[in-house]
Amino acid sequence: MEHNGYVDLLLGEFKHYKTRLAHGGIRTEVQDLLIEYGLENISEILVEGLSRVKRCSDEGRALMLLDLQVLINGLQHFVTINVKPKLQTVETFIKAYYLPETEYVHWARAHPEYTKSQMVGLINLVATMKGWKRKNRLEVLEKIEAH
């Protein structure tokens, strides 16, 4: 199994970002803070992108986890702070795909870090791929929207 090419592009861009910070005459503490913000941005953008996926198999979801692991390991090679906690929201979002149908309302309430539109995207994807009845999907969405 090979990771997706976007991971290499993202790693290259982030390395370039770090290099520009290092040569910008910025204090180390400020550089570290900007690196941290950069990692948070990557996390937010990945979750947003994943929430817009319309079709995905169990194997595809496993490949998303592989991509994330390759990204975390790659970033960790040239960043001093611990990368994994910064990208934890991405892993949690990917793994939510595997939850039982009955767990999504509880999961949504337990994870306020995701927007309603991200939750709706996840629910619609899971409902489509796992063959939920339309009524069940609408009930789950209604409970999430009401919260």
Side-chain angles (χ1 to χ4, degrees):
M1 290 204 304
E2 189 65 32
H3 65 274
N4 196 301
Y6 86 86
V7 174
D8 296 324
L9 291 171
L10 204 46
L11 286 170
E13 287 298 320
F14 205 84
K15 196 170 200 168
H16 181 66
Y17 171 65
K18 185 182 185 306
T19 303
R20 294 205 44 191
L21 288 175
H23 295 95
I26 303 168
R27 288 195 339 259
T28 308
E29 309 84 64
V30 177
Q31 285 182 44
D32 290 346
L33 198 57
L34 290 171
I35 291 292
E36 217 170 306
Y37 290 155
L39 292 172
E40 288 167 8
N41 279 335
I42 287 175
S43 183
E44 288 172 21
I45 289 165
L46 287 174
V47 169
E48 186 58 34
L50 291 168
S51 76
R52 296 178 186 195
V53 170
K54 300 291 184 219
R55 301 190 65 74
C56 177
S57 63
D58 286 3
E59 296 79 17
R61 218 61 182 177
L63 287 171
M64 290 176 190
L65 284 170
L66 171 70
D67 290 345
L68 181 62
Q69 198 53 56
V70 171
L71 179 63
I72 289 168
N73 292 343
L75 288 167
Q76 202 60 73
H77 281 296
F78 56 87
V79 174
T80 54
I81 66 167
N82 189 1
V83 173
K84 192 166 173 55
K86 293 288 174 196
L87 296 179
Q88 187 60 53
T89 55
V90 182
E91 183 177 342
T92 302
F93 194 82
I94 294 170
K95 288 182 175 178
Y97 176 85
Y98 299 109
L99 290 171
E101 190 173 334
T102 55
E103 292 296 309
Y104 283 96
V105 174
H106 172 73
W107 187 86
R109 290 182 180 149
H111 291 280
E113 64 270 29
Y114 304 110
T115 66
K116 282 209 166 82
S117 69
Q118 291 169 342
M119 292 288 188
V120 168
L122 176 66
I123 299 305
N124 284 331
L125 169 69
V126 172
T128 300
M129 300 314 297
K130 309 254 177 176
W132 290 10
K133 288 185 172 65
R134 185 174 182 275
K135 181 175 171 271
N136 293 6
R137 179 178 62 86
L138 293 175
E139 281 174 8
V140 169
L141 288 173
E142 194 176 299
K143 287 176 185 169
I144 288 171
E145 289 283 344
H147 185 352

